[in-house]
Structures are given as structure tokens and as C-alpha cells.
Amino acid sequence: MTDTTRSELRYEGKAKRVYATPNPAEYLVEYKDDATAFNAQKRGSWAGKGATNNAITAALYPKLEAAGIPTHFIEKLSSTEQRVKAVTIVPVEVIVRNVAAGSFAKKLGLEEGKTLARPVVEYCYKSDALGDPLVNTDTAVALGWASEGDLARIRELALQVRDFLTPFFEQRGIRLIDFKLEFGKLPSGQIVLADEISPDTCRFWDAETNEKMDKDRFRRDLGGVEEAYGEMLRRVEQA
Ligand code: UDP
């Protein structure tokens, strides 16, 4: 049997803890009930959030693998835990946008909800202290975060994820507005998709009502946060 006993805590983020395991090639990820927004200035927590995000991520990752996207995911272990391949995270948050929203709409003076003529891929340096600043690929290469080749592969995979997820959610009555991905490197050098895909990291709007079904409900104090996350899990689990 695989020994997935937790060893030492490797990393604690806002919404997850990552533990080493007796197998150096694997980590155990634990999803927490905590929520933060605006660079951790706004904090909250609700029972079941970790389990919902774990369930959504664990449902989506095998589908992405089946669509040809290599990922770190191995299996869901419990309601809040999953087994993943140990990777070195590339310190770049990759944002893919189908529709103008959030900071992008604001800074460019666009109406939230304007569909973009083509998807936009953006990169932010993963640094809470600096507020995840927007960077370009030259910066990422110059500062040694990733090679030119790694970044080209990351962009290609990010768009493949978009090409899979956009119709997947559309079939479930959800507009995928934008989302954030993270990528990791295996010891072999292979780039794989890592981290979660959940209402914490995506903007989901109900296709009929345009109602927000994601973390914007928490960020903007819209109420019904738990219900929206629960509804997103139900939509993901729809056949
Ligand atoms: N996002 C995220 N983590 C971050 C920043 C953004 O998961 O640290 C997600 C966010 O939920 C949204 C997308 O990335 O789905 C684009 O976010 P945006 O850049 O518009 O930032 P925001 O408006 O949330 O500040």
C-alpha cells in the first residue's frame, strides 16, 4: 500500500498546506477552510470550503489529463486531501482571460463582461509581499524563474486548459470568465499543471443570470458564498 503519512509541512499558503510524505516523489496537499482576498487583507473561513475546492479540483484534473495535459495530480485521499507528484513550483501565476473582469477590466477601463476577441494570457510574479505584480516573459527569464522553453510550454498548456475548460463549463451553464493556473517542474524537467482549479481561482458566471459563482462573492460581500461554491461542485459533477 502507498504510504501517504504526512511528514513535515513543506509549505503553508492561504488556502492549502503541502506536506512531504515518506516517498520523496510525492506530496500530500490539504485544503483548508480559510479564504483570503486583496492580498490577505480580507480574511474569512467557512466549514466545507476546503472539501468543496478539493472535490472540484480532484474532479477536473483527471479530465485535463485525459485531454492530454500533464498534471501533478495522483488521487484524492480524503475529503480535504490529495496526493500529488512533488514538483518545484514555477513562481509565476498564469492568468487566462476569456472575458474582461476584475483588475484587467478596471485598469483598461473596460466594462466587466466584455468578451475578448481572443484569449489573453498574463503572468504575475508569485509574491504576496509584492502583491503578485504583472511581469512579462523577459522578466521571468532574466530573473531565472523559468527558461524561454519552459514559458512557451506553460503558455501552450494554459491555452489547452482554457480550450478544455471553456466548453466543459459552457455545457454546464457556466461562463468561464478568467482563471489562474500554476505550473511545476518534475525532476525530469517536465512542466506539469499544479495547484487547484476552483471557485477560488476562477471566475464563473451563470450563463443565464450572469450571477457570480466564485470568490468574487466573498471579495465583494455579495453573500451566498457557500451556496455558490456548492453549486459549482454540483455543476462539475454533472454527467
Ligand atoms: N486569481 C487568483 N489568485 C490571485 C490573483 C488572481 O486565483 O492571486 C484569479 C482570480 O480569481 C481571477 C483571475 O485569477 O479568476 C484573474 O484575476 P484578476 O487579475 O482580475 O485579479 P483580481 O481582480 O482578482 O484582483
Side-chain angles (χ1 to χ4, degrees):
M1 215 185 101
T2 318
D3 185 353
T4 47
T5 322
R6 295 179 195 183
S7 305
E8 88 273 15
L9 182 66
R10 290 297 306 261
Y11 167 84
E12 176 152 11
K14 288 162 281 185
K16 291 185 293 296
R17 294 187 187 94
V18 179
Y19 293 90
T21 71
N23 178 348
E26 293 182 9
Y27 289 156
L28 184 148
V29 178
E30 181 191 23
Y31 283 69
K32 303 195 287 185
D33 286 340
D34 299 337
T36 63
F38 309 120
N39 216 7
Q41 287 170 44
K42 183 180 170 84
R43 291 169 183 276
S45 170
W46 63 92
K49 173 184 182 271
T52 305
N53 283 352
N54 185 34
I56 293 174
T57 302
L60 292 175
Y61 265 68
K63 296 180 198 298
L64 292 165
E65 285 272 358
I69 297 151
T71 82
H72 74 154
F73 183 78
I74 303 173
E75 64 172 349
K76 187 177 167 196
L77 284 175
S78 73
S79 63
T80 55
E81 296 168 311
Q82 53 181 250
R83 225 176 113 204
V84 300
K85 294 176 189 165
V87 297
T88 306
I89 291 286
V90 176
V92 171
E93 297 193 346
V94 180
I95 292 173
V96 183
R97 302 180 185 276
N98 286 324
V99 175
S103 60
F104 181 84
K106 195 168 177 184
K107 92 181 157 196
L108 297 174
L110 301 170
E111 191 193 332
E112 261 212 322
K114 181 188 162 56
T115 298
L116 302 168
R118 45 164 275 180
V120 170
V121 182
E122 294 181 332
Y123 308 94
C124 296
Y125 176 42
K126 196 171 147 61
S127 163
D128 285 337
L130 299 174
D132 298 341
L134 190 68
V135 294
N136 67 14
T137 52
D138 277 358
T139 305
V141 175
L143 296 182
W145 302 334
S147 69
E148 200 88 57
D150 288 341
L151 290 162
R153 179 67 175 147
I154 285 172
R155 183 170 195 278
E156 177 181 56
L157 289 173
L159 288 170
Q160 278 180 33
V161 171
R162 180 255 176 208
D163 289 346
F164 175 82
L165 290 181
T166 306
F168 175 85
F169 283 111
E170 199 174 292
Q171 284 154 18
R172 289 160 179 79
I174 296 290
R175 281 176 85 195
L176 176 60
I177 304 299
D178 57 30
F179 55 93
K180 186 261 305 180
L181 300 175
E182 293 189 24
F183 290 87
K185 221 173 186 182
L186 291 172
S188 65
Q190 190 191 11
I191 294 283
V192 297
L193 182 66
D195 200 33
E196 71 186 287
I197 300 182
S198 74
D200 270 11
T201 62
C202 304
R203 282 196 172 94
F204 296 123
W205 294 3
D206 184 280
E208 293 203 337
T209 63
N210 266 342
E211 200 180 350
K212 297 184 198 312
M213 308 283 291
D214 57 58
K215 196 162 138 185
D216 275 347
R217 300 205 73 82
F218 169 73
R219 292 188 189 101
R220 303 180 190 187
D221 292 321
L222 300 175
V225 188
E226 290 179 60
E227 292 77 4
Y229 277 57
E231 178 59 21
M232 282 310 305
L233 174 57
R234 276 188 289 282
R235 304 263 186 129
V236 165
E237 285 176 340
Q238 251 173 47

